[in-house]
Amino acid sequence: MGALVDFDEAAFAVAFDQAVGRCSELSRADAAHFVERGYVVVREAFSKDIAAAVREQAWSEIEGQHGVDRHDPSTWNRSFGFGGYVGYVRTQGSERRFNLRTDAPRAFAAQADAVGGAERLPGRGESLAWRDSAIGNLAGPEGPAWQPPSPQQRGWHKDGWHFRHFLNSPEQGLLTVPIFSDILPKSGGTFVARDSIAPVARLLASLPEGLHPDSVQGAGFLIPGLIEQCSDFVELTGEAGDMVLLHPYMMHRVSANPTWRPRFIANAALVLAEPMHFDRPGGGYSLVELAVLRALGCNRLDYKTTRRRLAVKPGPFRDADEAARERRALRTQMRSLAKRGIVTPEWAPEQGYDSNRAQAGAP
């Protein structure tokens, strides 16, 4: 890890002012909320017509493939095979695309603001688009009961199952969650750990060789040690047409939806044209980068990776040989980090997480 520089509040305020000055859609309050809490809800970011079109496509697909009746909540209380969560379903969508520059300009501008401007997106974001696929949460009243978020629950994770994770990874420069249906409290809104940016940033900054994605995805062995450092949890709510911008380090998990209000969202990763930069001469930091620096308690960081970037096929799509190869790579990292004292908490296996305690010689 590069040398940390003592944190200077006044210098950080100047860098923040510069970032806000480049924003065209996010207000100063929006920017501060994102930098300090890791997310911000952008109200009326896209049209309700788009939201309605995505919901209709989702219901048509769910009814056609799973025999569900959108008008009969008793048919929703089932597992759709993704992650084992009752009522949790992902749809593939059609060939339809919504170009954000033309179809949802506020959504486009807000995302560009968070990452430092459209010039930091491939092709200046001209082809940035959403599909009409969706993530549904529709178990219904007969499904699992709603429980408040807490660290010792299964399913917490950091997104990014398709690349080796570094502090400055460009493959996931921002998480974007368009809301396609009204989400009220205790109605299946995603749980987020608002104070998870710091533990994730510290871990990534200490490992310039990067992390295998399976270590922080699904049952990843690093998740429990990260989430137990968090205590500030919130459920994302909003109306159809709202959009949530999440820091790429944000830990989050699905929640139960024991209501007759089906929830539909998407989760899109914004790709950057180049890796994030934490030592920009003269400033010019993005809000995402400033959130990392604030979490690390420094104004700049001379960070360099020590291993090449690597695309990784996501777990559900690996064949047997690929799965075995990635498992070996993960096991190697589990042993390496155990030797460095980074060990999975004892409670983790009870919640379905992997563990490297055995490699550390811990009971």
Side-chain angles (χ1 to χ4, degrees):
M1 174 172 144
L4 294 178
V5 177
D6 291 339
F7 190 65
D8 183 328
E9 288 278 4
F12 187 84
V14 170
F16 177 74
D17 287 342
Q18 291 176 338
V20 172
R22 293 191 300 273
C23 291
S24 64
E25 188 60 49
L26 296 180
S27 68
R28 185 180 186 84
D30 290 335
H33 197 281
F34 182 86
V35 170
E36 295 169 7
R37 300 186 179 183
Y39 79 105
V40 67
V41 181
V42 182
R43 304 297 180 186
E44 299 180 347
F46 60 99
S47 73
K48 292 188 181 297
D49 288 343
I50 291 177
V54 174
R55 292 197 306 272
E56 178 58 34
Q57 171 61 32
W59 274 123
S60 296
E61 188 173 326
I62 294 169
E63 289 178 323
Q65 294 188 7
H66 301 287
V68 166
D69 182 350
R70 74 179 76 184
H71 304 296
D72 183 1
S74 67
T75 67
W76 307 349
N77 182 28
R78 51 169 292 183
S79 172
F80 293 92
F82 199 100
Y85 294 99
V86 174
Y88 185 82
V89 59
R90 287 175 175 261
T91 65
Q92 295 299 311
S94 67
E95 297 299 317
R96 188 173 185 181
R97 298 290 185 272
F98 303 101
N99 182 280
L100 297 194
R101 271 195 179 272
T102 56
D103 297 327
R106 288 199 68 221
F108 177 86
Q111 293 178 70
D113 285 351
V115 300
E119 63 273 14
R120 295 186 183 174
L121 300 174
R124 297 184 61 85
E126 292 292 340
S127 61
L128 186 63
W130 289 337
R131 300 175 57 208
D132 61 356
S133 57
I135 304 171
N137 191 345
L138 41 88
E142 302 303 318
W146 188 90
Q147 296 291 332
S150 64
Q152 293 189 23
Q153 294 173 330
R154 75 185 186 111
W156 288 107
H157 62 282
K158 173 189 180 296
D159 271 7
W161 62 359
H162 61 291
F163 62 94
R164 190 168 186 84
H165 291 221
F166 295 94
L167 186 73
N168 62 353
S169 291
E171 295 93 341
Q172 185 174 277
L174 183 72
L175 296 178
T176 303
V177 179
I179 297 177
F180 300 126
S181 62
D182 294 349
I183 307 175
L184 277 65
K186 300 182 180 180
S187 300
T190 302
F191 289 151
V192 299
R194 298 194 293 189
D195 51 353
S196 60
I197 312 305
V200 172
R202 289 192 294 265
L203 179 65
L204 289 172
S206 72
L207 298 171
E209 70 273 25
L211 288 172
H212 194 286
D214 291 5
S215 66
V216 289
Q217 279 285 307
F221 77 102
L222 290 173
I223 297 169
L226 291 168
I227 198 62
E228 72 172 10
Q229 298 177 56
C230 303
S231 59
D232 185 7
F233 304 103
V234 70
E235 179 185 28
L236 297 182
T237 60
E239 297 181 2
D242 292 346
M243 175 184 69
V244 187
L245 300 182
L246 293 172
H247 196 280
Y249 299 174
M250 180 71 79
M251 302 283 287
H252 54 282
R253 70 178 294 270
V254 66
S255 72
N257 182 14
T259 75
W260 289 343
R261 297 183 293 270
R263 183 224 70 179
F264 290 105
I265 62 170
N267 186 353
L270 197 67
V271 178
L272 302 178
E274 61 181 26
M276 287 184 275
H277 193 355
F278 303 107
D279 188 16
R280 293 186 181 275
Y285 295 106
S286 70
L287 296 176
V288 173
E289 292 165 345
L290 287 174
V292 174
L293 292 172
R294 181 180 182 273
L296 293 175
C298 60
N299 295 91
R300 61 183 178 83
L301 176 65
D302 180 18
Y303 172 82
K304 294 181 175 61
T305 62
T306 59
R307 186 170 175 174
R308 69 184 180 89
R309 301 187 189 280
L310 181 68
V312 179
K313 183 177 288 189
F317 307 107
R318 298 169 191 162
D319 62 26
D321 290 341
E322 291 166 336
R325 182 177 67 248
E326 297 302 340
R327 189 63 181 170
R328 288 193 297 271
L330 179 65
R331 288 294 183 187
T332 297
Q333 184 164 72
M334 293 173 77
R335 289 192 296 270
S336 174
L337 295 191
K339 291 178 181 178
R340 296 175 58 170
I342 301 176
V343 180
T344 312
E346 188 173 1
W347 58 265
E350 296 180 1
Q351 294 297 330
Y353 294 104
D354 208 346
S355 174
N356 71 340
R357 293 183 68 79
Q359 288 92 328

